[in-house]
Amino acid sequence: MHIESIPMWEGTGNNYAYLVSDEKTKDAVIIDPANPSEVLPSLKKAVDSGIKLNSIVNTHHHHDHAGGNAEVLKTYQIPIVGGKDCDKVTKTPSHGETFKVGNINVKALHTPCHTQDSICYLFEDGNDRAVFTGDTLFIGGCGRFFEGTPEEMDAALNKTLAALADDTKVFPGHEYTKGNIKFGIKVIQSEPIKKLEAFANSNKQTQGKFTIGDEKQFNVFMRLDDPAVQKFTGKTDRIDVMSALREAKNSM
């Protein structure tokens, strides 16, 4: 599979849309095309080169992810796969439901917390695996608990996403790595997090450069049983640790 990252609102929201295509069949989907003025030129170029755009895929209903749906539909009359509250949505897959993009297998993973309709999507093409996590999992961090609880984020990160193969590449909805590292390095000073800090300081974009296995090593929200993380929070119960971490990150 081929993944094209399309940065949007650089310097403010630092969002990403993703054009994912099957290199054999040319079938493709566009994930979270929230800012059409930045996304449509890339779509036109791809379609002109033979890409067959089959659907819009949304990770959740927030405007900076699903807000471009109506505008994109004016050019491409295609179905929208996403959470139940996404604008113009035509299909909400159930948890664990699968569908195809050409030869690529896609599995919907419900991860309620940031929003109750948050869905991550696992794309598998042979041994090539990628997960598009919206605002649930960032490189080195996680989303705010706008509509959910610490229990739900623990389940989303440490049960649903942590169960994926360690070599699954992570493609989040925003480039927030530098900020996440600024917080994470206060919590744990391990070699994995120091390496992530060095990479983030020398690379503008980090999406697709790290895996679920990496996240288990340096993402403090996926290390709730780590003594260093528990010491930072002053808690030992994993839900209390998750809650304290999010509160501390929010106050930065």
Side-chain angles (χ1 to χ4, degrees):
M1 70 182 137
H2 180 264
I3 301 170
E4 178 186 351
S5 303
I6 306 172
M8 302 177 293
W9 296 300
E10 284 191 274
T12 53
N14 293 312
N15 288 65
Y16 287 116
Y18 296 104
L19 179 63
V20 187
S21 56
D22 176 13
E23 293 173 296
K24 295 176 182 176
T25 66
K26 303 299 183 183
D27 289 305
V29 298
I30 181 69
I31 300 174
D32 288 349
N35 192 16
S37 65
E38 294 184 280
V39 175
L40 286 171
S42 294
L43 293 184
K44 184 180 187 306
K45 182 179 179 181
V47 170
D48 287 349
S49 71
I51 290 295
K52 294 177 285 188
L53 191 62
N54 291 342
S55 61
I56 295 169
V57 173
N58 288 151
T59 59
H60 62 294
H61 70 264
H62 282 165
H63 182 78
D64 64 333
H65 293 264
N69 290 354
E71 187 66 26
V72 175
L73 287 177
K74 292 178 182 178
T75 304
Y76 302 101
Q77 290 74 48
I78 52 179
I80 296 175
V81 178
K84 61 182 178 61
D85 297 321
C86 294
D87 188 35
K88 310 288 186 185
V89 66
T90 51
K91 166 71 174 177
T92 297
S94 59
H95 178 64
E97 185 174 340
T98 61
F99 57 95
K100 303 274 280 189
V101 179
N103 295 309
I104 303 169
N105 294 308
V106 184
K107 180 183 285 188
L109 303 169
H110 286 214
T111 51
C113 183
H114 179 72
T115 66
Q116 283 301 303
D117 72 340
S118 290
I119 301 175
C120 298
Y121 298 90
L122 173 66
F123 282 61
E124 293 184 283
D125 185 8
N127 292 322
D128 193 9
R129 285 176 279 269
V131 63
F132 297 86
T133 56
D135 287 3
T136 295
L137 173 65
F138 300 124
I139 306 300
C142 71
R144 291 175 182 259
F145 307 168
F146 284 130
E147 297 180 8
T149 64
E151 289 92 342
E152 286 180 314
M153 188 56 82
D154 182 31
L157 297 182
N158 299 311
K159 293 180 182 176
T160 301
L161 294 178
L164 301 180
D166 279 349
D167 63 356
T168 305
K169 295 173 184 174
V170 178
F171 290 84
H174 295 264
E175 184 55 62
Y176 284 167
T177 308
K178 285 185 173 65
N180 291 334
I181 281 297
K182 185 178 179 182
F183 174 68
I185 206 81
K186 292 181 177 180
V187 181
I188 50 176
Q189 291 81 43
S190 63
E191 281 308 306
I193 203 165
K194 289 176 182 177
K195 288 180 180 178
L196 176 61
E197 181 182 39
F199 186 91
N201 286 339
S202 57
N203 291 273
K204 185 178 179 181
Q205 298 182 9
T206 60
Q207 80 284 17
K209 301 298 184 184
F210 297 95
T211 66
I212 289 294
D214 294 326
E215 292 294 327
K216 292 176 185 177
Q217 294 298 312
F218 57 55
N219 191 323
V220 295
F221 295 95
M222 296 182 77
R223 297 189 62 81
L224 304 182
D225 296 323
D226 186 320
V229 177
Q230 293 184 348
K231 181 179 179 181
F232 175 84
T233 61
K235 310 289 183 181
T236 54
D237 176 82
R238 60 184 297 112
I239 304 305
D240 292 338
V241 175
M242 175 68 84
S243 180
L245 282 174
R246 189 64 256 179
E247 289 175 10
K249 178 67 167 65
N250 290 349
S251 66
M252 280 186 62

